[in-house]
Amino acid sequence: MSGVVPEGPEGKGGLRRILRGPRPEAVPTWVARACTLVGLLNVAAGVFPRFRHSRLHMVAEVLPGLFGPFAAALALSCGVLLLLLAHGLRRHKRRAWRAAVVLLPVGAVAQFTYRHSFIGVLISIALLVLLIRHRAEFAALPDPRSRWRALANFVVLGAGSLALGLVIVSVHPDKVVGDPSISERLMHVLYGLFGVEGPVDYTGRTPWTVGFSLGALGLLTALTTIYLAFRPEHPAARLTQDDEARLRELLAKHGARDSLGHFALRRDKGVVFSPSGKAAVTYRVVSGVMLASGDPIGDVEAWPGAIERFMDEAKAHSWTPAVMGCSETGGQVWTRETGLDALELGDEAVVDVADFSLSGRAMRNVRQMVKRIERNGYETRVRRIRDLGEQELERIQRAADAWRGTDTERGFSMALGRIGDPDDGDCLIATAHKADEQPGPYGDLKAVLHFVPWGKDGVSLDLMRRDRSADPGMNELLIVAALQAAPKLGIARVSLNFAMFRAALARGEKLGAGPVLRAWRGLLVFLSRWFQIESLYKFNAKFQPRWEPRFVVYRTSRDLPRIGFAAMQAEGFVTLGLPRFLRGRAAGRRPCPHQSVRSAEQHEVRAA
């Protein structure tokens, strides 16, 4: 490894915060801001009748989209479209650039036709020329997409049209006939979005302005929804059979280096290989963030080639690159090769089997809990997946699915996402059993722990599930059983859970901790009510592990909130899909469940 990891004051053991290298080419944010400004002015010009007579009249007069009765509808349409395009332009998207290039000459022609304004035409042409001149800045490929985005567009843009429509109907108080109620105004908006005259009456030419504006909003919502529904799908990258076979070959040679390596075989991840094929980086794209997990797979000397391919892919789509849970060595290589930053995220608990023992005062609580559960009639079995019978494996799969404590499956960086695949015969499974007078649908099965291989002599914890009616302490019982059975199975090390911000929790409770550290620990304890940060740390600490730091790699500190939100989506803490009662169930048997104890809410841990 010395040929890859540079020596120096920031060498191994000292990585906590690595100075950021040269930033990549800056995004032309001025273009996005200009689109946002023009969009807002166009919307304001179309909605507020007094806007054209305000102090901003001289500015608004030269902007495209102000054409009398038809100007309101055109201004609203152009304004909404420009607001939608601003985000794409900020991310260098080629299609957003094309749309802006089309809108500007259309607005210029309309401006000249109605107002004969050469200034408005010149401004549109000037912006068009600048966009064309800097066209090389807008070359990013589209994001993965599906037709669900059409439904999201309909809901979001429809709600926005209703809100904006209420404003349009209400900003002409001196032109309204009578005093219509809120319900009548809302009904007028709903009718207007479909091009039908509503119950609210106006004097003068105002009905035309309001009618055209509402109709334009409805037409815009309908057209964009239809476009998104019928355009070709561009699904997210998935692991193909060939990719999986190549990754398994790399893991067979180099899998012992990283305990998270086997999680690269999740089939909802994409993969990029180094030019030599000796290393790879797996990832998933979530909300415009290209999330890698763990260290690159394969030969350390070939990591730079795989990392370069990863960064090229992120640049081609204008995705924000990020790495979750890489090791110290991985963080050093990532930051050295890309100029990105690294920040300590937490620690991984690793138990060396040879050093594990239930004796001693430190293990007293675990020892007493395990003995109590065993006296209650529970027994444990620890086996490889390939040694299970078909019926027993199917029963374990159904039980693990039924015992999942959340509506959504969780896990990404530290979860495999399946149990019992024929290609995963080396995975380890620990089960707890107790005979009942009235056996349930899963027989005497009461709890399940699933481990994935970590090289030839290690395993890494994947998921923990238990029957809610079982006695507390099932997880401790099965972890101890797995550690005790490990020597017979040739296992020398076991990776347990990932404890976020463990160092802050540990140092913050010590005597002499400063006020800042105590305040940070207090915040983490408060957040533990929802994310089980403290309970996972304490649960891990029961087994006296050694702690291995894990890092998040990112571009700038401004990206951290976005990366954090994308990571929560990937792990399953935040879901933006349809409600469960609208999703329906897929035909046939569902895929094998997954829920990583490293990243999911653990009802078992709380019970323990």
Side-chain angles (χ1 to χ4, degrees):
M1 298 233 199
S2 59
V4 175
V5 182
E7 298 293 338
E10 295 177 351
K12 200 167 185 179
L15 180 60
R16 286 298 178 270
R17 179 126 166 92
I18 302 174
L19 295 178
R20 177 163 31 98
R23 290 184 58 191
E25 188 177 2
V27 178
T29 56
W30 60 269
V31 175
R33 291 171 181 172
C35 273
T36 301
L37 176 62
V38 172
L40 291 174
L41 290 174
N42 277 339
V43 170
V47 172
F48 301 102
R50 297 180 182 177
F51 176 76
R52 289 184 283 276
H53 306 289
S54 66
R55 295 182 179 180
L56 293 177
H57 172 65
M58 298 301 296
V59 177
E61 186 177 11
V62 299
L63 294 175
L66 307 178
F67 314 116
F70 290 98
L74 187 57
L76 282 174
S77 300
C78 290
V80 172
L81 288 173
L82 289 172
L83 289 174
L84 295 176
L85 290 173
H87 180 65
L89 290 173
R90 186 177 289 108
R91 295 184 57 209
H92 300 260
K93 292 299 182 181
R94 188 68 173 178
R95 290 187 175 181
W97 176 87
R98 290 173 179 170
V101 167
V102 170
L103 281 176
L104 282 173
V106 170
V109 170
Q111 181 82 304
F112 181 77
T113 301
Y114 182 78
R115 302 187 65 88
H116 306 289
S117 172
F118 288 97
I119 297 178
V121 173
L122 290 176
I123 289 178
S124 298
I125 293 176
L127 290 174
L128 180 63
V129 170
L130 287 175
L131 280 173
I132 294 176
R133 180 181 178 183
H134 295 281
R135 62 185 178 275
E137 297 284 343
F138 304 94
L141 300 175
D143 290 345
R145 59 178 183 258
S146 70
R147 291 189 174 90
W148 287 113
R149 188 163 295 183
L151 179 60
N153 176 84
F154 177 77
V155 173
V156 174
L157 201 53
S161 297
L162 283 174
L164 193 56
L166 280 175
V167 176
I168 294 171
V169 171
S170 304
V171 293
H172 305 274
D174 55 334
K175 303 291 185 179
V176 177
V177 177
D179 186 18
S181 63
I182 294 294
S183 60
E184 289 176 327
R185 295 171 190 265
L186 181 60
M187 188 66 66
H188 192 87
V189 173
L190 290 173
Y191 283 168
L193 292 177
F194 289 94
V196 180
E197 186 176 354
V200 181
D201 292 328
Y202 299 90
T203 60
R205 303 176 64 185
T206 304
W208 291 92
T209 303
V210 173
F212 283 130
S213 299
L214 295 177
L217 287 174
L219 185 62
L220 185 63
T221 301
L223 290 179
T224 54
T225 300
I226 292 172
Y227 167 73
L228 294 173
F230 287 97
R231 68 176 178 172
E233 292 192 62
H234 184 195
R238 291 291 185 267
L239 209 62
T240 65
Q241 291 184 352
D242 180 62
D243 291 337
E244 184 174 338
R246 295 176 65 184
L247 285 174
R248 288 185 183 277
E249 291 179 3
L250 294 177
L251 288 171
K253 296 178 181 178
H254 308 283
R257 209 209 59 79
D258 185 15
S259 64
L260 308 186
H262 199 85
F263 297 124
L265 298 177
R266 283 182 64 101
R267 288 162 186 164
D268 57 359
K269 291 183 177 181
V271 61
V272 289
F273 289 90
S274 65
S276 65
K278 295 182 179 180
V281 175
T282 58
Y283 67 92
R284 186 193 296 173
V285 178
V286 183
S287 297
V289 177
M290 191 176 182
L291 279 175
S293 57
D295 291 345
I297 306 300
D299 188 354
V300 178
E301 298 294 336
W303 282 7
I307 291 173
E308 183 179 4
R309 288 280 179 88
F310 175 88
M311 297 299 292
D312 288 344
E313 188 77 5
K315 183 179 180 181
H317 293 83
S318 192
W319 292 329
T320 299
V323 185
M324 298 297 296
C326 65
S327 68
E328 189 168 331
T329 300
Q332 288 176 325
V333 177
W334 273 99
T335 53
R336 189 195 68 189
E337 296 295 327
T338 63
L340 299 178
D341 249 348
L343 188 66
E344 185 171 342
L345 185 62
D347 295 89
E348 176 187 13
V350 179
V351 178
D352 294 315
V353 174
D355 298 332
F356 177 77
S357 173
L358 282 178
S359 61
R361 184 176 181 82
M363 298 298 295
R364 178 182 177 182
N365 290 337
V366 176
R367 182 172 64 250
Q368 290 179 343
M369 180 175 291
V370 169
K371 289 183 177 180
R372 175 179 56 80
I373 296 174
E374 289 176 343
R375 286 195 300 268
N376 289 341
Y378 289 87
E379 64 175 26
T380 59
R381 303 169 191 169
V382 181
R383 295 157 290 175
R384 299 284 185 179
I385 286 290
R386 60 172 173 264
D387 298 327
L388 294 176
E390 183 177 349
Q391 292 184 350
E392 183 179 9
L393 179 58
E394 191 271 339
R395 185 169 65 251
I396 291 173
Q397 291 171 342
R398 288 190 293 109
D401 190 11
W403 295 339
R404 186 177 67 243
T406 56
D407 180 46
T408 56
E409 295 283 4
R410 290 183 173 176
F412 160 68
S413 57
M414 303 173 189
L416 184 60
R418 59 183 182 268
I419 299 177
D421 190 279
D423 293 329
D424 297 326
D426 287 338
C427 289
L428 192 70
I429 193 159
T431 55
H433 304 263
K434 181 182 180 182
D436 294 328
E437 295 180 359
Q438 296 180 348
Y442 316 112
D444 62 352
L445 185 64
K446 297 299 179 182
V448 176
L449 261 63
H450 187 254
F451 300 82
V452 299
W454 175 12
K456 299 293 185 181
D457 63 346
V459 291
S460 186
L461 182 59
D462 175 25
L463 65 80
M464 305 167 72
R465 300 278 170 81
R466 71 177 182 89
D467 187 343
R468 303 303 173 193
S469 64
D471 293 350
M474 290 291 102
N475 295 326
E476 288 88 340
L477 173 69
L478 289 179
I479 288 177
V480 169
L483 290 169
Q484 291 176 339
K488 298 179 181 179
L489 298 170
I491 296 171
R493 51 188 178 165
V494 176
S495 170
L496 297 179
N497 309 319
F498 173 72
M500 290 187 62
F501 308 115
R502 181 205 65 87
L505 289 170
R507 293 196 298 264
E509 63 183 357
K510 289 183 177 179
L511 182 66
V516 175
L517 188 56
R518 287 185 179 275
W520 174 226
R521 182 183 181 277
L523 177 61
L524 293 176
V525 172
F526 174 75
L527 294 175
S528 295
R529 299 179 181 180
W530 296 277
F531 299 104
Q532 265 52 68
I533 298 173
E534 185 184 28
S535 60
L536 281 177
Y537 158 58
K538 291 183 176 180
F539 179 83
N540 296 337
K542 291 181 180 180
F543 304 96
Q544 303 299 306
R546 56 182 169 89
W547 299 100
E548 297 289 341
R550 291 281 174 174
F551 299 84
V552 56
V553 177
Y554 59 99
R555 186 164 53 191
T556 68
S557 57
R558 293 190 302 272
D559 291 335
L560 283 175
R562 185 179 181 187
I563 292 171
F565 183 72
M568 292 180 71
Q569 287 181 266
E571 298 287 356
F573 286 107
V574 176
T575 55
L576 302 180
L578 292 173
R580 186 175 186 179
F581 68 92
L582 292 177
R583 289 198 299 266
R585 299 181 66 88
R589 188 174 66 84
R590 287 169 43 168
C592 298
H594 67 270
Q595 178 182 5
S596 175
V597 69
R598 307 164 185 263
S599 59
E601 283 185 282
Q602 291 300 317
H603 297 275
E604 310 88 352
V605 173
R606 178 181 293 178

